[in-house]
C-alpha cells in the first residue's frame, strides 16, 4: 500500500494544474480611445483553446495580431503573433474568475500580458521594461456587436 501512495503522490505532483475557464473573455471588444480604433475578438473556449485576433487602426495605419490561449508544451499560455511574427509564449502566472496574468521573463517587451473583465468592460495591459525603465500599455475595451466600428 505505501508504494501505491507514493506513486499517487508523484503522479499528482506531475499533473499540470487544471486550465482556467477563459469563457469570460469571449466576444467582440472595442476600444475607441486615444484617436485609435482597436478591436479584439475572442472565441469561446473549445477543448480548452480560445482563439483571438486584434486589429488596430490609427492615423499611421493598420496593424493586426493573431493569438490563442490554451495548452502549450510550456503549460497553459497566451501565444501572441503580432503582425504575423513567430509565436511568443506567455505562460499563465495567475488567474481568477475574470482575470488572467501571463508572463515570459525572456521576452524583450512585454514580459507580462494581463486581461481583466468587469461587466461589459475588458481591460488588456502589457508590462515590461524598455531601456531599463518600467513601461506599460493599456486598452480599455467595451463589449460591442460583432464588427462594430468606432464613431467617425
Amino acid at each position: 500500500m505505501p508504494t501505491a501512495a507514493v506513486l499517487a503522490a508523484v503522479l499528482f505532483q506531475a499533473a499540470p494544474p487544471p486550465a482556467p475557464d477563459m469563457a469570460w473573455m469571449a466576444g467582440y471588444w472595442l476600444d475607441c480611445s486615444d484617436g485609435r480604433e482597436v478591436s479584439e475578438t475572442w472565441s469561446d473556449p473549445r477543448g480548452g483553446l480560445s482563439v483571438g485576433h486584434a486589429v488596430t487602426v490609427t492615423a499611421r495605419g493598420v496593424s493586426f495580431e493573431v493569438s490563442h490561449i490554451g495548452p502549450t508544451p510550456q503549460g497553459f499560455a497566451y501565444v501572441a503573433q503580432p503582425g504575423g511574427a513567430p509565436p511568443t509564449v506567455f505562460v499563465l502566472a495567475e488567474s481568477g474568475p475574470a482575470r488572467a496574468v501571463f508572463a515570459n521573463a525572456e521576452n524583450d517587451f512585454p514580459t507580462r500580458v494581463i486581461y481583466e473583465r468587469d461587466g461589459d468592460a475588458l481591460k488588456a495591459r502589457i508590462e515590461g521594461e524598455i531601456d531599463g525603465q518600467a513601461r506599460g500599455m493599456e486598452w480599455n475595451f467595451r463589449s460591442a456587436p460583432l464588427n462594430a466600428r468606432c464613431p467617425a
Side-chain angles (χ1 to χ4, degrees), residues 16-148:
D21 181 2
M22 301 299 292
W24 54 269
M25 279 183 62
Y28 180 79
W29 304 94
L30 190 62
D31 179 348
C32 299
S33 61
D34 300 327
R36 66 184 180 202
E37 176 180 292
V38 184
S39 63
E40 281 201 16
T41 307
W42 284 98
S43 72
D44 62 322
R46 308 236 172 136
L49 177 68
S50 296
V51 177
H53 71 274
V55 177
T56 300
V57 181
T58 67
R60 294 181 303 199
V62 179
S63 62
F64 74 96
E65 178 174 312
V66 294
S67 50
H68 65 275
I69 298 173
T72 71
Q74 295 91 338
F76 193 82
Y78 173 89
V79 181
Q81 292 184 259
T88 302
V89 178
F90 297 85
V91 177
L92 184 69
E94 69 179 75
S95 69
R99 177 178 162 85
V101 178
F102 302 91
N104 178 339
E106 303 300 314
N107 195 46
D108 54 356
F109 182 87
T111 54
R112 288 171 32 109
V113 177
I114 304 160
Y115 279 94
E116 190 166 19
R117 182 168 178 178
D118 184 11
D120 71 346
L122 180 70
K123 182 188 293 187
R125 180 169 175 77
I126 57 175
E127 300 175 343
E129 287 188 6
I130 299 176
D131 297 326
Q133 298 291 318
R135 302 276 190 228
M137 295 176 67
E138 192 167 282
W139 295 263
N140 293 294
F141 295 102
R142 291 282 175 199
S143 179
L146 183 62
N147 295 323

